[in-house]
Short mmCIF file of all heavy atoms in Angstrom, two decimals:
data_model
loop_
_atom_site.label_atom_id
_atom_site.label_comp_id
_atom_site.label_asym_id
_atom_site.label_seq_id
_atom_site.Cartn_x
_atom_site.Cartn_y
_atom_site.Cartn_z
N PHE A 48 -17.71 23.01 25.92
CA PHE A 48 -17.21 22.44 24.67
C PHE A 48 -15.70 22.37 24.76
O PHE A 48 -15.02 23.38 24.96
CB PHE A 48 -17.65 23.31 23.50
CG PHE A 48 -17.19 22.81 22.17
CD1 PHE A 48 -17.63 21.58 21.70
CD2 PHE A 48 -16.32 23.54 21.40
CE1 PHE A 48 -17.21 21.10 20.47
CE2 PHE A 48 -15.91 23.08 20.17
CZ PHE A 48 -16.35 21.86 19.71
N ARG A 49 -15.15 21.16 24.64
CA ARG A 49 -13.71 20.92 24.73
C ARG A 49 -13.22 20.33 23.41
O ARG A 49 -13.12 19.10 23.27
CB ARG A 49 -13.41 19.98 25.88
CG ARG A 49 -13.81 20.54 27.21
CD ARG A 49 -13.42 19.59 28.32
NE ARG A 49 -13.84 20.11 29.58
CZ ARG A 49 -14.56 19.45 30.45
NH1 ARG A 49 -14.92 18.22 30.21
NH2 ARG A 49 -14.92 20.00 31.59
N PRO A 50 -12.88 21.17 22.43
CA PRO A 50 -12.50 20.63 21.13
C PRO A 50 -11.19 19.83 21.15
O PRO A 50 -11.07 18.85 20.42
CB PRO A 50 -12.36 21.88 20.25
CG PRO A 50 -12.20 23.01 21.19
CD PRO A 50 -12.91 22.62 22.45
N LYS A 51 -10.23 20.21 21.99
CA LYS A 51 -8.97 19.45 22.05
C LYS A 51 -9.21 18.03 22.53
O LYS A 51 -8.63 17.08 21.99
CB LYS A 51 -7.96 20.15 22.95
CG LYS A 51 -7.42 21.43 22.37
CD LYS A 51 -6.42 22.06 23.30
CE LYS A 51 -5.96 23.39 22.76
NZ LYS A 51 -5.02 24.06 23.67
N ARG A 52 -10.06 17.88 23.52
CA ARG A 52 -10.38 16.55 24.04
C ARG A 52 -11.08 15.70 22.99
O ARG A 52 -10.79 14.52 22.82
CB ARG A 52 -11.23 16.69 25.29
CG ARG A 52 -11.59 15.40 25.93
CD ARG A 52 -12.40 15.64 27.18
NE ARG A 52 -12.81 14.38 27.75
CZ ARG A 52 -13.67 14.27 28.74
NH1 ARG A 52 -14.19 15.34 29.28
NH2 ARG A 52 -14.00 13.09 29.20
N ILE A 53 -12.01 16.32 22.27
CA ILE A 53 -12.74 15.60 21.23
C ILE A 53 -11.80 15.17 20.11
O ILE A 53 -11.85 14.03 19.64
CB ILE A 53 -13.91 16.46 20.70
CG1 ILE A 53 -14.96 16.64 21.79
CG2 ILE A 53 -14.52 15.84 19.45
CD1 ILE A 53 -16.04 17.64 21.45
N LEU A 54 -10.92 16.08 19.68
CA LEU A 54 -9.97 15.75 18.61
C LEU A 54 -9.01 14.65 19.04
O LEU A 54 -8.66 13.77 18.24
CB LEU A 54 -9.20 17.00 18.18
CG LEU A 54 -10.03 18.08 17.50
CD1 LEU A 54 -9.18 19.31 17.22
CD2 LEU A 54 -10.65 17.56 16.22
N LEU A 55 -8.57 14.67 20.29
CA LEU A 55 -7.70 13.61 20.80
C LEU A 55 -8.42 12.27 20.80
O LEU A 55 -7.87 11.25 20.36
CB LEU A 55 -7.20 13.94 22.21
CG LEU A 55 -6.36 12.87 22.89
CD1 LEU A 55 -5.04 12.69 22.14
CD2 LEU A 55 -6.13 13.21 24.33
N GLN A 56 -9.66 12.25 21.25
CA GLN A 56 -10.42 11.01 21.26
C GLN A 56 -10.69 10.51 19.84
O GLN A 56 -10.64 9.31 19.58
CB GLN A 56 -11.74 11.20 22.02
CG GLN A 56 -11.54 11.37 23.50
CD GLN A 56 -12.82 11.69 24.23
OE1 GLN A 56 -13.85 11.96 23.62
NE2 GLN A 56 -12.76 11.67 25.55
N MET A 57 -10.95 11.42 18.92
CA MET A 57 -11.14 11.02 17.53
C MET A 57 -9.87 10.42 16.96
O MET A 57 -9.92 9.43 16.23
CB MET A 57 -11.55 12.24 16.68
CG MET A 57 -12.97 12.67 16.86
SD MET A 57 -13.37 14.19 15.96
CE MET A 57 -12.98 13.74 14.28
N THR A 58 -8.72 10.99 17.31
CA THR A 58 -7.44 10.48 16.82
C THR A 58 -7.17 9.08 17.37
O THR A 58 -6.70 8.20 16.64
CB THR A 58 -6.30 11.44 17.20
OG1 THR A 58 -6.61 12.74 16.66
CG2 THR A 58 -4.97 10.97 16.67
N ILE A 59 -7.47 8.86 18.64
CA ILE A 59 -7.26 7.54 19.24
C ILE A 59 -8.16 6.50 18.58
O ILE A 59 -7.71 5.42 18.20
CB ILE A 59 -7.51 7.60 20.76
CG1 ILE A 59 -6.40 8.43 21.43
CG2 ILE A 59 -7.57 6.21 21.36
CD1 ILE A 59 -6.68 8.78 22.87
N VAL A 60 -9.44 6.82 18.40
CA VAL A 60 -10.39 5.89 17.78
C VAL A 60 -9.98 5.60 16.34
O VAL A 60 -9.99 4.45 15.88
CB VAL A 60 -11.83 6.44 17.86
CG1 VAL A 60 -12.78 5.62 17.00
CG2 VAL A 60 -12.30 6.46 19.30
N ALA A 61 -9.59 6.64 15.59
CA ALA A 61 -9.18 6.46 14.19
C ALA A 61 -7.91 5.63 14.09
O ALA A 61 -7.78 4.79 13.20
CB ALA A 61 -8.97 7.82 13.53
N SER A 62 -6.97 5.82 15.02
CA SER A 62 -5.72 5.06 14.99
C SER A 62 -5.98 3.58 15.25
O SER A 62 -5.42 2.71 14.57
CB SER A 62 -4.74 5.61 16.02
OG SER A 62 -4.42 6.94 15.71
N ILE A 63 -6.84 3.29 16.21
CA ILE A 63 -7.17 1.89 16.50
C ILE A 63 -7.86 1.25 15.30
O ILE A 63 -7.52 0.14 14.89
CB ILE A 63 -8.05 1.80 17.77
CG1 ILE A 63 -7.23 2.19 19.00
CG2 ILE A 63 -8.63 0.40 17.93
CD1 ILE A 63 -8.07 2.37 20.25
N GLY A 64 -8.81 1.96 14.72
CA GLY A 64 -9.51 1.43 13.55
C GLY A 64 -8.58 1.23 12.36
O GLY A 64 -8.66 0.22 11.67
#
Side-chain angles (χ1 to χ4, degrees):
F48 180 63
R49 298 183 182 128
K51 289 181 184 178
R52 182 178 176 189
I53 293 171
L54 293 176
L55 176 66
Q56 290 175 351
M57 285 175 58
T58 303
I59 291 169
V60 169
S62 298
I63 292 169

